[in-house]
Amino acid sequence: MPPSSERLCDRFGRVIDYLRLSVTDQCNLCCPYCRPAGGHPSRAEGPLLTDDEIVGLLQELVALGIGRVRITGGEPLLRPRLPDLVARIAAMDGVRDLSLTTNGILLPGRAAELRRAGLQRINISLDTLQRERFRKISGQDALTRVLAGVQEALTVGLSPVKLNVVVMRGLNDDELPHFARLTQGSPIHVRFIELMPIGEARSFSGERHVSIAEMKRRIGSLEKVSDADRPTGWGPAVYFRKPGALGTLGFIGAMTDRFCHSCNRLRLTSGGTLLSCLAQSGQGMDLRPLLGHRRSLRAAVRQVVLTKGEGHRMHQPSGELQRRMCSVGG
């Protein structure tokens, strides 16, 4: 841990110690809240960061107090030799927590290797438990593979295993009780995520939005989970459980239960741009040219932190919000 004088702190007193690291902007799904249908988007930032570039940037960020790293995409398992990169990050002094978010399609047969490489925990995006509905939402008939990946993650000891469910009216909001039942007899932690107006999803989100309060009403009786009993993680979810359940139910409400006051994160895109906020993606800094120039790089990181707003502006129409979620590293 660096001395307090070296740690990253924004204008509002929030200590920044968590990085969401996108290792690719490519994905094998076309979910409507993240990216448009019609294939892979063009890469606007030039080539992906190499493994050496990622490690070099992380070493400087860790020296400034970043101790928690979540690997994201796009779909991170599309990146070649990902376990090698995981191992290098896990071995880095100062990295106290290393996790990954994936859609799970490529996870079967790879979870054990990732665990051996040093991955500690995993989030798997899964918006439906119905095969045909999965195909409709994602563009792929792959529900069986994702469910196999969930089970493999549990078997190899990744813990906690969390399922991320973006709730969309008329598409999957009737499945809230079914997801809740998954937590009854298994240590699975389901997190229901409010739809956000990001990129092409701005118009989509208005008619499909379901508030956290409505989600809770539709699930029924819930018991609040104490801070001591909540699953490991430093995100904004507020956790509950069904009576007697082994797992938990988390709720993430960027729109109706805004949590910006406790935000502790930065985002590094797959092309090397450091962002202060998912919803303020126009205020980033390209770090790749600064590799090898420690003083300039650290100054740039501090500058990005100082651009971090007191809250997001997702309620306001803005060109800054048009960047695709898969490019930012949702």
Side-chain angles (χ1 to χ4, degrees):
M1 176 72 70
S4 57
S5 61
E6 288 291 318
R7 281 183 238 163
L8 297 172
C9 190
D10 71 10
R11 294 174 295 151
F12 306 98
R14 295 171 297 199
V15 175
I16 310 302
D17 63 356
Y18 176 26
L19 180 73
R20 294 182 69 94
L21 168 67
S22 175
V23 295
T24 181
D25 58 359
Q26 302 298 286
C27 187
N28 45 7
L29 300 182
C30 289
C31 302
Y33 52 81
C34 181
R35 58 183 301 187
H40 298 308
S42 59
R43 180 168 292 128
E45 294 184 277
L48 295 177
L49 292 171
T50 67
D51 285 8
D52 286 345
E53 287 172 331
I54 288 174
V55 170
L57 291 175
L58 271 180
Q59 286 172 337
E60 298 303 325
L61 288 163
V62 170
L64 292 172
I66 295 294
R68 302 178 175 113
V69 178
R70 173 170 293 279
I71 298 172
T72 70
E75 170 46 50
L77 295 182
L78 288 174
R79 185 178 176 102
R81 301 176 299 281
L82 181 65
D84 294 341
L85 179 59
V86 168
R88 292 179 69 179
I89 297 172
M92 199 176 295
D93 285 344
V95 174
R96 305 186 301 279
D97 181 77
L98 181 58
S99 55
L100 179 140
T101 295
T102 173
N103 61 37
I105 292 176
L106 300 176
L107 192 57
R110 302 184 68 183
E113 183 181 15
L114 290 166
R115 182 75 182 94
R116 288 193 299 271
L119 189 69
Q120 294 165 286
R121 52 197 184 89
I122 195 165
N123 290 12
I124 300 171
S125 299
L126 179 60
D127 294 331
T128 178
L129 299 171
Q130 298 181 26
R131 179 179 175 181
E132 181 55 29
R133 188 174 285 182
F134 185 99
R135 186 198 62 76
K136 179 180 178 181
I137 291 173
S138 71
Q140 295 282 351
D141 183 9
L143 177 60
T144 300
R145 288 193 58 80
V146 177
L147 294 176
V150 172
Q151 185 55 55
E152 188 170 319
L154 290 168
T155 299
V156 304
L158 290 167
S159 179
V161 173
K162 300 177 183 177
L163 301 185
N164 290 346
V165 184
V166 177
V167 180
M168 298 166 281
R169 191 178 305 280
L171 287 182
N172 66 349
D173 55 319
D174 59 329
E175 294 188 62
L176 293 168
H178 304 292
F179 276 104
R181 280 198 289 273
L182 287 181
T183 69
Q184 291 289 143
S186 181
I188 290 175
H189 305 278
V190 176
R191 289 123 53 82
F192 297 114
I193 302 172
E194 225 176 24
L195 191 61
M196 294 177 286
I198 299 288
E200 289 84 351
R202 288 192 69 83
S203 58
F204 172 83
S205 66
E207 63 190 49
R208 301 290 187 183
H209 180 264
V210 181
S211 70
I212 296 298
E214 182 179 345
M215 293 181 204
K216 290 177 181 176
R217 287 196 302 270
R218 295 175 70 168
I219 290 171
S221 59
L222 292 168
E223 300 172 345
K224 186 74 183 290
V225 173
S226 69
D227 288 345
D229 290 334
R230 60 178 278 150
T232 301
W234 289 268
V238 179
Y239 285 96
F240 297 79
R241 64 165 36 98
K242 297 294 286 183
L246 293 179
T248 63
L249 299 169
F251 296 87
I252 301 176
M255 304 306 292
T256 59
D257 291 342
R258 294 176 66 168
F259 41 75
C260 299
H261 65 281
S262 60
C263 185
N264 61 347
R265 67 188 61 184
L266 296 172
R267 295 170 183 269
L268 184 64
T269 72
S270 57
T273 299
L274 188 68
L275 303 170
S276 65
C277 175
L278 174 64
Q280 294 174 323
S281 57
Q283 299 181 0
M285 180 79 70
D286 184 3
L287 298 185
R288 194 199 308 250
L290 302 178
L291 272 165
H293 305 279
R294 174 171 295 176
R295 183 173 298 178
S296 296
L297 195 155
R298 293 189 182 185
V301 172
R302 293 189 182 281
Q303 183 177 338
V304 171
V305 170
L306 291 177
T307 70
K308 194 171 178 69
E310 188 172 13
H312 68 67
R313 297 193 296 273
M314 287 194 232
H315 292 89
Q316 304 172 15
S318 170
E320 291 179 2
L321 299 183
Q322 297 306 309
R323 194 169 186 156
R324 290 172 175 145
M325 178 83 79
C326 58
S327 298
V328 177

